[in-house]
Amino acid sequence: MSVASLRRAALDSVSGLPRAFWWLWTSTLVNRLGAFVATFMALYLTLDRGYSASYAGLVASLHGLGGVVSSLGGGVMADRLGRRPTLLIAQASTAVFVALLGFVRDPVSIAAVAFLVGMASNASRPAVQAMMADIVRPEDRVRAFSLNYWAINLGFAVSSMGAGFIAEFSYLAGFLIEAGMTMACAIVVFLKLPESRPEGRSGPGATGGTGGGDSVRLVTVLRDGRFMGVVGLSFLVALIFQQGSVGLPVAMGRAGFTPADYGMAIAVNGVLIVALQIPVTRLIEHRDARRLLIVSSMLAGYGFGLTAFAGSVGVFALTVCVWTLGEMVNAPTQTGLVVRLSPVHGRGRYQGVYSLSWSLAALVAPLMSGAVIDRFGAAWLWGACAVVGTVAGLGYGALMRRLPQEPRAEGDVTKESAVEKPVVEKSIVEKPVAAASVVEESVVSVKEGAVAEGARSLPVVAAETAALGAVEGDSRGEAGAGARVG
Protein backbone atom coordinates (compact mmCIF):
# COMPACT_ATOMS: atom_id res chain seq x y z
CA MET A 1 0.00 0.00 0.00
CA SER A 2 1.39 3.40 -0.99
CA VAL A 3 1.95 6.32 1.36
CA ALA A 4 -0.84 8.21 -0.41
CA SER A 5 -3.24 5.32 0.19
CA LEU A 6 -2.31 5.16 3.86
CA ARG A 7 -2.79 8.91 4.18
CA ARG A 8 -6.17 8.68 2.47
CA ALA A 9 -7.26 5.83 4.75
CA ALA A 10 -6.20 7.81 7.82
CA LEU A 11 -8.12 10.87 6.67
CA ASP A 12 -11.20 8.77 5.94
CA SER A 13 -11.00 7.35 9.46
CA VAL A 14 -11.03 10.72 11.22
CA SER A 15 -13.00 13.00 8.89
CA GLY A 16 -16.64 13.97 9.16
CA LEU A 17 -17.06 13.59 12.93
CA PRO A 18 -18.51 16.51 14.96
CA ARG A 19 -16.35 18.79 17.09
CA ALA A 20 -18.05 17.64 20.31
CA PHE A 21 -16.93 14.09 19.60
CA TRP A 22 -13.30 15.15 19.44
CA TRP A 23 -13.54 16.92 22.81
CA LEU A 24 -15.06 13.78 24.29
CA TRP A 25 -12.29 11.80 22.63
CA THR A 26 -9.68 14.13 24.15
CA SER A 27 -11.22 13.70 27.58
CA THR A 28 -11.01 9.93 27.20
CA LEU A 29 -7.37 10.07 26.11
CA VAL A 30 -6.35 12.30 29.02
CA ASN A 31 -8.15 10.02 31.45
CA ARG A 32 -6.40 6.89 30.18
CA LEU A 33 -2.99 8.54 30.10
CA GLY A 34 -3.28 8.80 33.87
CA ALA A 35 -4.62 5.28 34.46
CA PHE A 36 -2.88 3.61 37.39
CA VAL A 37 -5.26 2.11 39.94
CA ALA A 38 -6.97 -0.50 37.76
CA THR A 39 -3.65 -1.68 36.31
CA PHE A 40 -1.42 -1.75 39.37
CA MET A 41 -3.76 -2.19 42.35
CA ALA A 42 -3.01 -5.93 42.59
CA LEU A 43 0.76 -5.34 42.53
CA TYR A 44 0.44 -2.47 45.02
CA LEU A 45 -1.39 -4.65 47.52
CA THR A 46 0.67 -7.85 47.12
CA LEU A 47 4.19 -6.48 46.59
CA ASP A 48 4.17 -3.08 48.29
CA ARG A 49 1.74 -3.77 51.14
CA GLY A 50 2.43 -7.50 51.52
CA TYR A 51 -1.17 -8.69 51.39
CA SER A 52 -2.19 -12.05 49.96
CA ALA A 53 -3.55 -12.61 46.48
CA SER A 54 -6.92 -13.39 48.04
CA TYR A 55 -7.03 -10.01 49.81
CA ALA A 56 -5.97 -8.25 46.60
CA GLY A 57 -8.79 -10.09 44.85
CA LEU A 58 -11.24 -9.01 47.56
CA VAL A 59 -10.27 -5.35 47.19
CA ALA A 60 -10.51 -5.54 43.40
CA SER A 61 -13.92 -7.16 43.77
CA LEU A 62 -15.12 -4.34 46.01
CA HIS A 63 -13.86 -1.96 43.33
CA GLY A 64 -16.00 -3.93 40.89
CA LEU A 65 -18.98 -3.92 43.27
CA GLY A 66 -18.87 -0.14 43.27
CA GLY A 67 -18.99 -0.31 39.50
CA VAL A 68 -22.05 -2.59 39.62
CA VAL A 69 -23.93 -0.05 41.73
CA SER A 70 -22.93 2.93 39.62
CA SER A 71 -23.49 1.27 36.24
CA LEU A 72 -27.23 1.30 36.82
CA GLY A 73 -27.19 4.60 38.71
CA GLY A 74 -25.01 6.27 36.10
CA GLY A 75 -27.33 5.15 33.31
CA VAL A 76 -30.38 6.58 35.06
CA MET A 77 -28.51 9.83 35.78
CA ALA A 78 -27.45 10.13 32.14
CA ASP A 79 -31.10 9.90 31.01
CA ARG A 80 -32.57 12.11 33.75
CA LEU A 81 -29.91 14.69 34.65
CA GLY A 82 -28.14 14.61 31.30
CA ARG A 83 -24.84 13.27 29.97
CA ARG A 84 -22.74 16.32 30.88
CA PRO A 85 -23.73 16.63 34.59
CA THR A 86 -23.21 12.89 35.04
CA LEU A 87 -19.70 13.11 33.58
CA LEU A 88 -18.77 16.08 35.77
CA ILE A 89 -19.99 14.44 38.98
CA ALA A 90 -18.36 11.09 38.20
CA GLN A 91 -14.96 12.43 37.15
CA ALA A 92 -14.61 14.96 39.96
CA SER A 93 -15.54 12.30 42.54
CA THR A 94 -13.12 9.81 41.02
CA ALA A 95 -10.24 12.29 41.29
CA VAL A 96 -10.90 12.83 45.00
CA PHE A 97 -11.24 9.15 45.87
CA VAL A 98 -8.18 8.04 43.86
CA ALA A 99 -6.01 10.58 45.67
CA LEU A 100 -7.41 9.38 49.02
CA LEU A 101 -6.65 5.76 48.13
CA GLY A 102 -2.95 6.57 47.95
CA PHE A 103 -2.90 7.72 51.59
CA VAL A 104 -5.01 5.13 53.43
CA ARG A 105 -3.14 2.27 55.11
CA ASP A 106 -5.66 0.27 57.14
CA PRO A 107 -6.95 -2.83 55.26
CA VAL A 108 -10.59 -1.96 55.90
CA SER A 109 -10.04 1.64 54.78
CA ILE A 110 -8.28 0.50 51.60
CA ALA A 111 -11.20 -1.78 50.77
CA ALA A 112 -13.78 0.95 51.48
CA VAL A 113 -12.04 3.60 49.38
CA ALA A 114 -11.50 1.10 46.55
CA PHE A 115 -15.28 0.58 46.53
CA LEU A 116 -15.82 4.35 46.25
CA VAL A 117 -13.26 4.60 43.42
CA GLY A 118 -15.02 1.84 41.50
CA MET A 119 -18.42 3.46 42.04
CA ALA A 120 -17.28 6.93 40.92
CA SER A 121 -15.18 5.85 37.94
CA ASN A 122 -17.77 3.53 36.41
CA ALA A 123 -20.59 6.05 36.71
CA SER A 124 -19.21 7.94 33.73
CA ARG A 125 -19.21 4.99 31.31
CA PRO A 126 -22.95 4.98 30.41
CA ALA A 127 -22.87 8.77 29.95
CA VAL A 128 -19.84 8.61 27.62
CA GLN A 129 -21.36 5.88 25.46
CA ALA A 130 -24.77 7.58 25.36
CA MET A 131 -23.28 10.98 24.50
CA MET A 132 -21.24 9.44 21.70
CA ALA A 133 -24.34 7.81 20.24
CA ASP A 134 -26.18 11.15 20.56
CA ILE A 135 -23.68 13.33 18.73
CA VAL A 136 -22.47 10.94 16.00
CA ARG A 137 -24.48 9.99 12.94
CA PRO A 138 -25.64 6.34 12.86
CA GLU A 139 -23.48 5.48 9.85
CA ASP A 140 -20.38 6.85 11.62
CA ARG A 141 -20.85 5.25 15.04
CA VAL A 142 -18.75 2.13 14.54
CA ARG A 143 -15.89 4.35 13.40
CA ALA A 144 -16.44 6.75 16.32
CA PHE A 145 -16.49 3.95 18.89
CA SER A 146 -13.34 2.50 17.36
CA LEU A 147 -11.57 5.87 17.55
CA ASN A 148 -12.62 6.22 21.17
CA TYR A 149 -11.40 2.71 21.91
CA TRP A 150 -8.18 3.61 20.12
CA ALA A 151 -7.75 6.61 22.43
CA ILE A 152 -8.35 4.41 25.47
CA ASN A 153 -5.61 2.04 24.43
CA LEU A 154 -3.21 4.75 23.31
CA GLY A 155 -3.42 6.16 26.81
CA PHE A 156 -3.25 2.68 28.29
CA ALA A 157 -0.09 1.79 26.38
CA VAL A 158 1.67 4.96 27.49
CA SER A 159 0.46 4.79 31.09
CA SER A 160 1.29 1.07 31.46
CA MET A 161 4.93 1.56 30.53
CA GLY A 162 5.28 4.79 32.50
CA ALA A 163 3.35 3.61 35.53
CA GLY A 164 5.44 0.44 35.78
CA PHE A 165 8.54 2.54 36.41
CA ILE A 166 6.64 5.01 38.59
CA ALA A 167 5.50 2.09 40.77
CA GLU A 168 9.09 1.07 41.42
CA PHE A 169 9.73 4.60 42.64
CA SER A 170 6.49 5.46 44.44
CA TYR A 171 2.97 4.03 44.25
CA LEU A 172 1.66 7.22 45.87
CA ALA A 173 2.92 9.26 42.92
CA GLY A 174 0.89 7.03 40.62
CA PHE A 175 -2.30 7.62 42.60
CA LEU A 176 -1.79 11.38 42.61
CA ILE A 177 -1.02 11.51 38.88
CA GLU A 178 -4.23 9.63 38.09
CA ALA A 179 -6.21 11.96 40.35
CA GLY A 180 -4.80 15.00 38.57
CA MET A 181 -5.47 13.63 35.09
CA THR A 182 -9.04 12.68 35.99
CA MET A 183 -9.71 16.18 37.29
CA ALA A 184 -8.31 17.51 33.99
CA CYS A 185 -10.95 15.41 32.20
CA ALA A 186 -13.69 17.02 34.28
CA ILE A 187 -12.36 20.45 33.30
CA VAL A 188 -12.47 19.52 29.60
CA VAL A 189 -16.07 18.36 29.95
CA PHE A 190 -17.04 21.53 31.81
CA LEU A 191 -15.44 23.90 29.30
CA LYS A 192 -15.95 22.20 25.96
CA LEU A 193 -18.80 19.66 25.93
CA PRO A 194 -22.44 20.73 25.51
CA GLU A 195 -25.34 18.63 26.72
CA SER A 196 -26.37 16.07 24.07
CA ARG A 197 -29.40 14.34 25.57
CA PRO A 198 -32.16 14.18 22.91
CA GLU A 199 -35.31 16.20 23.53
CA GLY A 200 -38.51 14.24 24.09
CA ARG A 201 -40.60 13.76 20.99
CA SER A 202 -43.29 11.57 19.59
CA GLY A 203 -43.40 9.70 16.35
CA PRO A 204 -41.69 6.71 14.75
CA GLY A 205 -38.65 5.56 16.60
CA ALA A 206 -39.29 7.69 19.66
CA THR A 207 -39.27 5.34 22.57
CA GLY A 208 -38.99 7.82 25.34
CA GLY A 209 -41.04 10.70 26.55
CA THR A 210 -40.37 14.27 27.41
CA GLY A 211 -37.65 14.92 29.89
CA GLY A 212 -35.19 12.27 28.88
CA GLY A 213 -37.39 9.32 28.13
CA ASP A 214 -38.45 8.20 31.60
CA SER A 215 -40.91 5.80 29.90
CA VAL A 216 -37.87 3.59 29.22
CA ARG A 217 -37.27 2.28 32.71
CA LEU A 218 -34.82 -0.25 34.07
CA VAL A 219 -37.58 -2.85 34.16
CA THR A 220 -38.06 -2.27 30.42
CA VAL A 221 -34.41 -3.00 29.81
CA LEU A 222 -34.34 -6.07 32.03
CA ARG A 223 -37.37 -7.52 30.24
CA ASP A 224 -35.67 -7.15 26.85
CA GLY A 225 -34.66 -10.77 26.52
CA ARG A 226 -32.59 -10.37 23.38
CA PHE A 227 -30.61 -7.49 24.85
CA MET A 228 -30.09 -9.28 28.17
CA GLY A 229 -28.73 -12.28 26.27
CA VAL A 230 -26.10 -10.00 24.77
CA VAL A 231 -25.34 -8.64 28.25
CA GLY A 232 -24.86 -12.16 29.61
CA LEU A 233 -22.43 -13.13 26.86
CA SER A 234 -20.63 -9.82 27.29
CA PHE A 235 -20.14 -10.74 30.95
CA LEU A 236 -18.39 -13.98 30.00
CA VAL A 237 -16.07 -12.20 27.57
CA ALA A 238 -15.39 -9.43 30.09
CA LEU A 239 -14.58 -12.08 32.70
CA ILE A 240 -11.76 -13.25 30.45
CA PHE A 241 -10.40 -9.83 29.57
CA GLN A 242 -10.37 -8.79 33.25
CA GLN A 243 -7.57 -11.29 33.81
CA GLY A 244 -5.21 -8.98 31.97
CA SER A 245 -5.30 -6.57 34.92
CA VAL A 246 -6.10 -9.02 37.73
CA GLY A 247 -4.84 -12.56 37.14
CA LEU A 248 -1.88 -11.77 34.89
CA PRO A 249 -0.04 -9.33 37.22
CA VAL A 250 -0.48 -11.63 40.22
CA ALA A 251 0.69 -14.68 38.25
CA MET A 252 3.73 -12.82 36.91
CA GLY A 253 4.53 -11.51 40.39
CA ARG A 254 4.34 -15.02 41.83
CA ALA A 255 6.67 -16.21 39.07
CA GLY A 256 9.30 -13.63 40.06
CA PHE A 257 8.68 -10.94 37.46
CA THR A 258 8.83 -7.24 38.41
CA PRO A 259 6.14 -4.56 37.95
CA ALA A 260 8.18 -3.19 35.04
CA ASP A 261 8.12 -6.66 33.39
CA TYR A 262 4.35 -6.78 33.68
CA GLY A 263 4.10 -3.20 32.43
CA MET A 264 6.11 -4.02 29.32
CA ALA A 265 4.09 -7.18 28.61
CA ILE A 266 0.67 -5.61 29.05
CA ALA A 267 1.72 -2.51 27.10
CA VAL A 268 1.80 -4.75 24.01
CA ASN A 269 -1.98 -4.82 24.27
CA GLY A 270 -2.25 -1.06 24.00
CA VAL A 271 0.43 -0.74 21.32
CA LEU A 272 -1.23 -3.30 19.06
CA ILE A 273 -4.63 -1.68 19.43
CA VAL A 274 -3.19 1.75 18.72
CA ALA A 275 -1.47 0.42 15.58
CA LEU A 276 -4.17 -1.93 14.28
CA GLN A 277 -7.60 -1.04 15.70
CA ILE A 278 -8.62 1.34 12.90
CA PRO A 279 -7.42 -0.93 10.03
CA VAL A 280 -9.05 -3.94 11.67
CA THR A 281 -12.32 -2.03 12.04
CA ARG A 282 -12.29 -1.03 8.37
CA LEU A 283 -11.72 -4.71 7.51
CA ILE A 284 -14.51 -6.18 9.66
CA GLU A 285 -17.23 -3.52 9.63
CA HIS A 286 -19.19 -5.11 6.75
CA ARG A 287 -18.65 -8.73 7.77
CA ASP A 288 -21.01 -11.08 9.57
CA ALA A 289 -21.26 -9.96 13.21
CA ARG A 290 -22.13 -13.48 14.36
CA ARG A 291 -18.89 -14.95 13.04
CA LEU A 292 -16.86 -12.03 14.35
CA LEU A 293 -18.21 -12.44 17.89
CA ILE A 294 -17.63 -16.20 17.83
CA VAL A 295 -14.04 -15.83 16.61
CA SER A 296 -13.23 -12.98 19.01
CA SER A 297 -14.52 -14.97 22.01
CA MET A 298 -12.38 -17.95 21.04
CA LEU A 299 -9.29 -15.79 20.54
CA ALA A 300 -9.78 -14.21 23.95
CA GLY A 301 -10.22 -17.53 25.75
CA TYR A 302 -7.42 -19.41 24.07
CA GLY A 303 -5.12 -16.40 24.10
CA PHE A 304 -5.24 -16.37 27.89
CA GLY A 305 -5.14 -20.16 27.89
CA LEU A 306 -1.73 -20.04 26.21
CA THR A 307 -0.43 -18.02 29.17
CA ALA A 308 -0.09 -21.31 31.04
CA PHE A 309 2.95 -22.06 28.86
CA ALA A 310 4.65 -18.66 29.27
CA GLY A 311 7.98 -18.55 31.08
CA SER A 312 9.51 -15.28 29.91
CA VAL A 313 8.41 -11.71 29.27
CA GLY A 314 8.61 -12.34 25.54
CA VAL A 315 6.27 -15.33 25.66
CA PHE A 316 3.87 -13.45 27.92
CA ALA A 317 3.88 -10.67 25.30
CA LEU A 318 3.08 -13.19 22.55
CA THR A 319 0.04 -14.46 24.44
CA VAL A 320 -1.07 -10.87 24.88
CA CYS A 321 -0.93 -10.51 21.09
CA VAL A 322 -3.39 -13.39 20.65
CA TRP A 323 -6.09 -12.18 23.02
CA THR A 324 -5.58 -8.58 21.91
CA LEU A 325 -6.59 -9.60 18.38
CA GLY A 326 -9.80 -10.98 19.88
CA GLU A 327 -10.32 -7.73 21.75
CA MET A 328 -9.88 -5.62 18.61
CA VAL A 329 -12.52 -7.66 16.78
CA ASN A 330 -14.92 -7.88 19.73
CA ALA A 331 -14.95 -4.26 20.88
CA PRO A 332 -16.44 -2.45 17.85
CA THR A 333 -18.68 -5.37 16.92
CA GLN A 334 -20.15 -5.70 20.41
CA THR A 335 -20.54 -1.94 20.89
CA GLY A 336 -22.29 -1.58 17.56
CA LEU A 337 -24.66 -4.40 18.47
CA VAL A 338 -25.56 -2.75 21.79
CA VAL A 339 -26.31 0.59 20.10
CA ARG A 340 -28.50 -1.21 17.54
CA LEU A 341 -30.61 -2.69 20.32
CA SER A 342 -30.90 0.55 22.38
CA PRO A 343 -33.86 2.94 21.90
CA VAL A 344 -32.91 6.60 21.52
CA HIS A 345 -34.42 7.92 24.74
CA GLY A 346 -33.30 4.94 26.80
CA ARG A 347 -29.64 4.95 25.76
CA GLY A 348 -28.40 5.85 29.22
CA ARG A 349 -30.24 2.99 30.89
CA TYR A 350 -29.38 0.48 28.16
CA GLN A 351 -25.73 1.49 28.26
CA GLY A 352 -25.84 1.28 32.06
CA VAL A 353 -27.11 -2.30 31.99
CA TYR A 354 -24.53 -3.19 29.34
CA SER A 355 -21.81 -1.63 31.52
CA LEU A 356 -23.16 -3.76 34.32
CA SER A 357 -21.79 -6.84 32.54
CA TRP A 358 -18.26 -5.42 32.77
CA SER A 359 -18.76 -4.24 36.33
CA LEU A 360 -19.99 -7.66 37.41
CA ALA A 361 -16.99 -9.20 35.68
CA ALA A 362 -14.75 -6.80 37.58
CA LEU A 363 -16.44 -8.05 40.76
CA VAL A 364 -16.24 -11.77 40.01
CA ALA A 365 -12.91 -12.00 38.15
CA PRO A 366 -10.64 -10.94 41.06
CA LEU A 367 -12.33 -13.35 43.47
CA MET A 368 -12.09 -16.15 40.93
CA SER A 369 -8.48 -15.48 39.94
CA GLY A 370 -7.24 -14.91 43.48
CA ALA A 371 -8.86 -18.08 44.81
CA VAL A 372 -7.75 -20.23 41.86
CA ILE A 373 -4.14 -18.98 41.95
CA ASP A 374 -3.89 -19.43 45.74
CA ARG A 375 -5.39 -22.93 45.79
CA PHE A 376 -4.56 -24.53 42.47
CA GLY A 377 -2.02 -22.37 40.67
CA ALA A 378 -2.13 -20.02 37.71
CA ALA A 379 -2.28 -22.80 35.09
CA TRP A 380 -5.79 -23.71 36.19
CA LEU A 381 -6.91 -20.10 35.81
CA TRP A 382 -5.70 -19.97 32.22
CA GLY A 383 -7.42 -23.27 31.44
CA ALA A 384 -10.68 -21.87 32.83
CA CYS A 385 -10.33 -18.87 30.52
CA ALA A 386 -10.17 -21.19 27.51
CA VAL A 387 -13.36 -22.95 28.65
CA VAL A 388 -15.24 -19.68 29.24
CA GLY A 389 -14.18 -18.38 25.82
CA THR A 390 -15.53 -21.51 24.18
CA VAL A 391 -18.86 -21.19 26.01
CA ALA A 392 -19.17 -17.50 25.02
CA GLY A 393 -18.44 -18.29 21.37
CA LEU A 394 -21.10 -21.00 21.28
CA GLY A 395 -23.53 -18.62 22.99
CA TYR A 396 -23.03 -15.93 20.37
CA GLY A 397 -23.48 -18.52 17.65
CA ALA A 398 -26.89 -19.48 19.06
CA LEU A 399 -28.10 -15.96 19.95
CA MET A 400 -27.19 -14.21 16.71
CA ARG A 401 -29.37 -16.57 14.69
CA ARG A 402 -32.40 -14.78 16.13
CA LEU A 403 -31.12 -11.24 15.59
CA PRO A 404 -32.16 -9.10 12.61
CA GLN A 405 -29.26 -8.55 10.24
CA GLU A 406 -29.73 -4.91 9.28
CA PRO A 407 -32.26 -3.04 11.48
CA ARG A 408 -33.37 0.40 10.36
CA ALA A 409 -32.47 3.39 12.50
CA GLU A 410 -35.76 5.27 11.95
CA GLY A 411 -36.45 8.19 14.24
CA ASP A 412 -32.90 8.33 15.46
CA VAL A 413 -32.59 12.07 15.10
CA THR A 414 -30.67 14.16 17.58
CA LYS A 415 -29.23 17.65 17.58
CA GLU A 416 -26.36 16.41 15.43
CA SER A 417 -28.35 14.26 13.05
CA ALA A 418 -30.84 17.06 12.30
CA VAL A 419 -28.55 18.12 9.44
CA GLU A 420 -27.28 14.69 8.44
CA LYS A 421 -29.37 14.20 5.33
CA PRO A 422 -28.22 17.21 3.33
CA VAL A 423 -24.58 16.45 4.17
CA VAL A 424 -24.94 12.80 3.19
CA GLU A 425 -26.70 13.71 -0.02
CA LYS A 426 -23.94 16.15 -0.87
CA SER A 427 -21.39 13.37 -0.54
CA ILE A 428 -23.43 11.00 -2.67
CA VAL A 429 -24.10 13.35 -5.60
CA GLU A 430 -21.08 15.52 -6.28
CA LYS A 431 -21.37 17.87 -9.23
CA PRO A 432 -18.84 20.45 -10.39
CA VAL A 433 -21.16 23.40 -9.75
CA ALA A 434 -19.80 26.48 -8.06
CA ALA A 435 -22.87 26.81 -5.86
CA ALA A 436 -22.25 23.35 -4.39
CA SER A 437 -19.39 24.54 -2.22
CA VAL A 438 -21.49 27.44 -0.97
CA VAL A 439 -24.31 25.10 0.01
CA GLU A 440 -21.90 22.70 1.71
CA GLU A 441 -20.34 25.50 3.75
CA SER A 442 -23.80 26.69 4.74
CA VAL A 443 -24.83 23.22 5.88
CA VAL A 444 -21.63 22.68 7.85
CA SER A 445 -21.97 26.03 9.59
CA VAL A 446 -25.57 25.25 10.47
CA LYS A 447 -24.50 21.85 11.75
CA GLU A 448 -21.91 23.38 14.05
CA GLY A 449 -24.47 25.87 15.25
CA ALA A 450 -26.87 23.04 16.03
CA VAL A 451 -24.32 21.49 18.35
CA ALA A 452 -23.80 24.75 20.21
CA GLU A 453 -27.42 25.98 20.31
CA GLY A 454 -29.37 22.72 19.97
CA ALA A 455 -31.92 24.22 17.54
CA ARG A 456 -32.39 25.26 13.91
CA SER A 457 -35.00 27.53 12.43
CA LEU A 458 -37.49 26.35 9.84
CA PRO A 459 -36.45 29.03 7.31
CA VAL A 460 -32.89 27.72 7.37
CA VAL A 461 -34.13 24.19 6.75
CA ALA A 462 -36.24 25.40 3.84
CA ALA A 463 -33.33 27.37 2.36
CA GLU A 464 -31.00 24.37 2.57
CA THR A 465 -33.54 22.07 0.97
CA ALA A 466 -34.21 24.45 -1.90
CA ALA A 467 -30.50 25.07 -2.54
CA LEU A 468 -29.64 21.39 -2.49
CA GLY A 469 -32.50 20.64 -4.83
CA ALA A 470 -31.18 23.20 -7.31
CA VAL A 471 -27.61 21.88 -7.17
CA GLU A 472 -28.14 18.18 -7.01
CA GLY A 473 -31.53 17.56 -8.52
CA ASP A 474 -33.94 15.08 -7.13
CA SER A 475 -31.41 12.77 -5.53
CA ARG A 476 -33.27 12.23 -2.30
CA GLY A 477 -32.89 8.79 -0.82
CA GLU A 478 -32.09 7.17 2.40
CA ALA A 479 -28.37 7.00 3.08
CA GLY A 480 -27.74 3.38 4.01
CA ALA A 481 -28.45 3.33 7.72
CA GLY A 482 -27.57 -0.31 7.81
CA ALA A 483 -24.31 0.03 5.86
CA ARG A 484 -22.51 0.36 9.16
CA VAL A 485 -23.60 -1.14 12.42
CA GLY A 486 -25.36 1.66 14.34
Side-chain angles (χ1 to χ4, degrees), residues 226-364:
R226 185 171 59 190
F227 178 78
M228 292 307 297
V230 172
V231 171
L233 294 173
S234 174
F235 166 75
L236 294 181
V237 175
L239 197 65
I240 299 172
F241 285 125
Q242 284 290 328
Q243 301 308 321
S245 59
V246 179
L248 185 59
V250 173
M252 291 185 69
R254 289 287 185 90
F257 295 96
T258 67
D261 292 332
Y262 167 69
M264 294 299 293
I266 198 64
V268 172
N269 171 260
V271 170
L272 285 178
I273 292 177
V274 168
L276 300 177
Q277 181 66 65
I278 302 304
V280 167
T281 300
R282 292 173 64 88
L283 178 66
I284 68 175
E285 61 183 351
H286 299 303
R287 298 184 184 275
D288 181 28
R290 177 171 173 264
R291 293 182 180 180
L292 293 175
L293 290 171
I294 293 172
V295 170
S296 63
S297 300
M298 297 289 189
L299 286 172
Y302 289 103
F304 276 99
L306 291 173
T307 309
F309 305 99
S312 66
V313 175
V315 178
F316 276 112
L318 288 176
T319 66
V320 171
C321 291
V322 177
W323 57 261
T324 296
L325 180 58
E327 185 179 358
M328 286 189 290
V329 174
N330 182 271
T333 308
Q334 179 88 317
T335 305
L337 178 61
V338 170
V339 174
R340 278 171 52 183
L341 299 177
S342 303
V344 174
H345 286 81
R347 280 177 181 151
R349 288 173 172 85
Y350 268 74
Q351 292 290 348
V353 174
Y354 170 64
S355 298
L356 182 64
S357 65
W358 284 85
S359 298
L360 284 173
L363 174 65
V364 174

Side-chain angles (χ1 to χ4, degrees), residues 101 138 166 223 271 388 403 427 486:
L101 186 59
I166 292 173
R223 288 177 177 174
V271 170
V388 173
L403 287 175
S427 64

Side-chain angles (χ1 to χ4, degrees), residues 408-423:
R408 304 289 294 178
E410 289 188 39
D412 192 9
V413 181
T414 65
K415 300 169 188 176
E416 276 295 318
S417 61
V419 291
E420 284 175 20
K421 194 170 183 179
V423 176

Side-chain angles (χ1 to χ4, degrees), residues 351-440:
Q351 292 290 348
V353 174
Y354 170 64
S355 298
L356 182 64
S357 65
W358 284 85
S359 298
L360 284 173
L363 174 65
V364 174
L367 293 175
M368 180 186 77
S369 62
V372 171
I373 290 174
D374 281 344
R375 296 180 183 180
F376 306 106
W380 283 86
L381 175 64
W382 309 131
C385 287
V387 173
V388 173
T390 302
V391 172
L394 295 175
Y396 278 120
L399 178 66
M400 295 294 285
R401 291 175 181 172
R402 301 195 303 269
L403 287 175
Q405 292 299 313
E406 295 290 349
R408 304 289 294 178
E410 289 188 39
D412 192 9
V413 181
T414 65
K415 300 169 188 176
E416 276 295 318
S417 61
V419 291
E420 284 175 20
K421 194 170 183 179
V423 176
V424 173
E425 291 169 350
K426 182 69 184 74
S427 64
I428 294 174
V429 185
E430 295 184 0
K431 294 187 177 181
V433 181
S437 61
V438 177
V439 172
E440 185 177 9

